[in-house]
Amino acid sequence: MSRTAQSVWDNCLSFIKDNITPQAYKTWFEPIKAVKLTDVALNIQVPSKFFYEWLEEHYVKLLKVALNKELGENAKLVYVIKMENTYGNNQPFTEKIPSANRTSLKSQEVSAPLKNKNPELKNPFVIPGIRNLQIESQLNPSYNFDNFLEGDSNRLARSAGMAVANKPGGTSFNPLLIFGGVGLGKTHLAHAIGVHIKDQYPEKTVLYISAEKFTQQYIESVKKNNRNDFIHFYQVIDVLIVDDIQLLSGKAGTQDVFFHIFNHLHQNGKQVILTSDKAPVDMQDIEQRLLSRFKWGLSAELQHPGFETRISIIKHKLYQDGVEMPEEIVEFLANNIKTNIRELEGAIISLIAHSSFNKKEITLDLAKKIVDNYVKHTKREVSIDYIQKIVSDYFQMDVDTLQSKTRKRHIVQARQLAMFFAKKLTKASLASIGSQIGQRDHATVLHACKTVDNLASTDKQFRKYVEDLNKKLTV
Ligand code: ADP
Ligand code: MG
């Protein structure tokens, strides 16, 4: 009796079917085709590398038992992976399971074809579609394209966002990574894309999530022992938006799980949108393999808005709130809050609140007070490196000179000023300031702070240094 690949596989299947859930069978075994039988090796074709690795991870024992029953102790299984994804890569490649006493192929090298952008999934997890979930998008409809004003600073990111929103998964901007400083509109733009997609494609599953929440969910899932559900949940999403992915830095477990989710979605033509406060090159403690994925699509920067854009954002905001403000004040705000649109909005809101609480006109004076307060209170901490750079520039020396052991008076003063400002503007301890500014101890830093205080109150020239530097460092 001659046995065909099909008949051998059919027997395997009926054994497998008895041993797993119908859903798992349908998901993972029905798509497999038996293609060839040679000697003791059965070749089966699977739809993707992901598929293959998933089988390896979860069903290798079952497959082995089934195959041993059919073809004896030396039975071998050969996977033929047929790429049916978007990479124009349809050369199949094969990988053999060598002998019966192996339980896993994980240590085997898999020789993917050259130019294969297909992700190396080593550890995929999926629970076959047990649930049919209605997923709440978590989108904020008030962050949309209509109120995301366009300017030079955001044109690229905005139009890439539009393109993705019109054709999720269908552009080369996948993933779309939007990066830029705090308060420049990353979250707004990310929501706008999601909102637009939901509008145009109501049937698509869109999910917005902050990387922080993603991390919490993941940790929770590990605790509750339902990591697979967690992963499966994410793998059924059509458009995944993850905000502030820089927060994944240093979190190896979350990065790993995100890597697999990302690969799965990407491989299946699903759209991924990411935001970060840093460009990929500047992200620290993010695994290389993940960083390289981030760079596959488009990284678009949100830059600081120019004066015109700041003016139009203010006016738009006032218009929305039904408030009028003299042009002079609008310009004052635009001139004084430059690097953060959230602060700009915050100042407008405080201004409106103050004037209505106190039944006062909105005056330039009031605006000045509020900007002073507002900007001071929300100021981000400057770094000690930045302080050293500004101080050295001011005295026209380089940072190495500032840190050097020399006792030359003007260099000592520069160094003391750097220490003084580091103490004043950062939360760093005296010891840590000392170690960052030329390996000094805490007593030296303390001495420097006292000296600067003394000199500033007795020496006019020195006071000017302090004032100038203070301005440069706190603007
Ligand atoms: P990020 O996520 O980059 O820190 P957000 O998206 O939270 O910044 O934006 C901060 C605030 O600035 C939000 O209220 C947002 O609506 C507003 N904003 C940012 N960019 C624009 C823009 N181009 N037009 C209108 N509002 C903007
Ligand atoms: Mg944000």
Side-chain angles (χ1 to χ4, degrees):
M1 184 182 79
S2 84
R3 311 182 66 187
T4 63
Q6 194 58 53
S7 68
V8 169
W9 183 236
D10 283 344
N11 291 343
C12 290
L13 282 182
S14 57
F15 173 78
I16 290 167
K17 201 172 186 172
D18 279 346
N19 284 285
I20 61 175
T21 66
Q23 189 63 53
Y25 178 80
K26 194 165 160 10
T27 310
W28 297 108
F29 291 93
E30 278 187 3
I32 297 173
K33 283 190 200 126
V35 286
K36 203 167 125 195
L37 184 67
T38 57
D39 213 340
V40 286
L42 176 68
N43 293 19
I44 58 170
Q45 182 185 304
V46 296
S48 66
K49 193 173 169 202
F50 172 79
F51 214 96
Y52 141 74
E53 285 176 325
W54 200 87
L55 289 171
E56 274 301 296
E57 190 77 30
H58 296 267
Y59 293 116
V60 74
K61 282 189 188 143
L62 190 62
L63 280 163
K64 203 172 67 168
V65 175
L67 220 60
N68 287 347
K69 274 163 57 99
E70 290 305 303
L71 300 175
E73 277 304 299
N74 297 324
K76 287 181 181 153
L77 186 64
V78 177
Y79 290 92
V80 179
I81 300 181
K82 185 149 188 221
M83 300 291 179
E84 278 165 354
N85 53 33
T86 46
Y87 302 120
N89 174 3
N90 44 21
Q91 311 107 288
F93 71 93
T94 59
E95 176 65 28
K96 296 185 180 190
I97 291 181
S99 71
N101 56 6
R102 286 191 79 115
T103 53
S104 168
L105 254 188
K106 271 199 290 193
S107 58
Q108 286 280 121
E109 39 173 336
V110 173
S111 57
L114 244 56
K115 285 192 279 166
N116 179 13
K117 266 177 127 192
N118 199 30
E120 312 127 24
L121 283 156
K122 289 230 172 62
N123 204 5
F125 303 84
V126 156
I127 282 222
I130 299 162
R131 299 177 298 183
N132 188 4
L133 290 165
Q134 282 286 344
I135 293 170
E136 174 58 47
S137 287
Q138 316 288 337
L139 291 165
N140 178 349
S142 58
Y143 282 154
N144 50 48
F145 276 112
D146 291 340
N147 61 17
F148 189 79
L149 302 186
E150 183 170 343
D152 290 340
S153 56
N154 63 35
R155 190 158 290 119
L156 171 69
R158 192 180 187 282
S159 50
M162 263 297 197
V164 163
N166 284 320
K167 239 178 138 194
T171 68
S172 50
F173 308 152
N174 198 13
L176 173 62
L177 172 66
I178 301 160
F179 70 95
V182 181
L184 293 180
K186 300 180 296 290
T187 298
H188 186 143
L189 185 55
H191 277 279
I193 298 168
V195 168
H196 191 84
I197 294 174
K198 255 318 203 193
D199 242 27
Q200 299 219 309
Y201 307 91
E203 78 287 355
K204 282 205 190 293
T205 314
V206 179
L207 181 73
Y208 167 90
I209 183 125
S210 66
E212 195 184 2
K213 194 153 174 214
F214 180 87
T215 306
Q216 286 164 3
Q217 285 180 356
Y218 170 67
I219 292 169
E220 197 61 16
S221 81
V222 171
K223 253 193 236 154
K224 293 206 179 122
N225 217 358
N226 54 10
R227 186 172 183 266
N228 285 355
D229 283 352
F230 171 83
I231 294 161
H232 177 245
F233 172 84
Y234 278 94
Q235 286 180 331
V236 300
I237 284 160
D238 296 316
V239 178
L240 178 63
I241 305 169
V242 186
D243 204 359
D244 289 322
I245 45 157
Q246 78 278 356
L247 297 176
L248 298 182
S249 80
K251 295 170 184 145
T254 315
Q255 283 180 37
D256 185 57
V257 87
F258 182 68
F259 178 75
H260 296 301
I261 291 168
F262 176 91
N263 284 338
H264 183 84
L265 295 177
H266 195 267
Q267 200 170 20
N268 287 289
K270 306 301 172 66
Q271 180 71 46
V272 179
I273 297 146
L274 308 166
T275 81
S276 163
D277 69 357
K278 295 179 193 69
V281 282
D282 298 324
M283 285 185 216
Q284 277 165 6
D285 293 323
I286 301 255
E287 274 186 71
Q288 208 48 48
R289 56 178 187 163
L290 203 49
L291 278 183
S292 83
R293 298 295 187 275
F294 295 166
K295 295 180 202 155
W296 275 0
L298 177 73
S299 305
E301 183 172 7
L302 288 174
Q303 293 166 329
H304 291 166
F307 180 71
E308 301 294 319
T309 312
R310 298 199 297 275
I311 294 274
S312 54
I313 290 174
I314 297 170
K315 289 192 170 164
H316 181 77
K317 181 81 190 136
L318 292 173
Y319 172 78
Q320 278 187 323
D321 293 347
V323 177
E324 291 195 11
M325 220 180 256
E327 191 69 27
E328 186 190 30
I329 297 178
V330 171
E331 283 183 19
F332 173 80
L333 292 174
N335 269 321
N336 284 279
I337 306 179
K338 297 179 178 166
T339 56
N340 185 325
I341 299 172
R342 189 179 299 125
E343 282 183 0
L344 198 55
E345 288 186 341
I348 299 168
I349 293 165
S350 323
L351 200 49
I352 297 170
H354 272 268
S355 89
S356 60
F357 278 145
N358 305 324
K359 309 235 178 321
K360 275 193 211 151
E361 282 281 287
I362 298 181
T363 61
L364 191 57
D365 244 15
L366 183 59
K368 279 183 181 154
K369 267 191 206 123
I370 285 183
V371 166
D372 266 2
N373 276 331
Y374 206 84
V375 174
K376 217 180 285 150
H377 288 319
T378 56
K379 182 127 276 127
R380 274 183 304 153
E381 193 171 281
V382 293
S383 72
I384 295 177
D385 280 349
Y386 179 73
I387 293 171
Q388 297 189 71
K389 167 101 180 49
I390 295 292
V391 174
S392 331
D393 284 356
Y394 181 77
F395 290 110
Q396 292 170 3
M397 60 179 75
D398 48 39
V399 176
D400 285 345
T401 311
L402 179 128
Q403 293 185 344
S404 68
K405 301 277 174 216
T406 178
R407 305 213 130 270
K408 281 192 189 126
R409 189 177 147 77
H410 74 287
I411 299 174
V412 172
Q413 278 192 349
R415 189 160 61 230
Q416 290 179 328
L417 279 161
M419 291 175 174
F420 169 83
F421 281 107
K423 184 64 198 145
K424 182 168 177 227
L425 302 175
T426 75
K427 296 194 188 76
S429 66
L430 293 170
S432 142
I433 293 170
S435 78
Q436 290 180 68
I437 305 183
Q439 295 297 335
R440 305 312 204 276
D441 63 13
H442 82 281
T444 310
V445 180
L446 192 60
H447 176 69
C449 294
K450 284 185 185 151
T451 308
V452 170
D453 262 339
N454 283 338
L455 281 176
S457 55
T458 52
D459 178 336
K460 216 167 143 206
Q461 176 61 51
F462 194 83
R463 179 153 62 241
K464 171 119 175 37
Y465 294 159
V466 175
E467 282 164 6
D468 285 354
L469 285 168
N470 194 49
K471 265 196 213 120
K472 284 185 196 294
L473 288 165
T474 56
V475 164

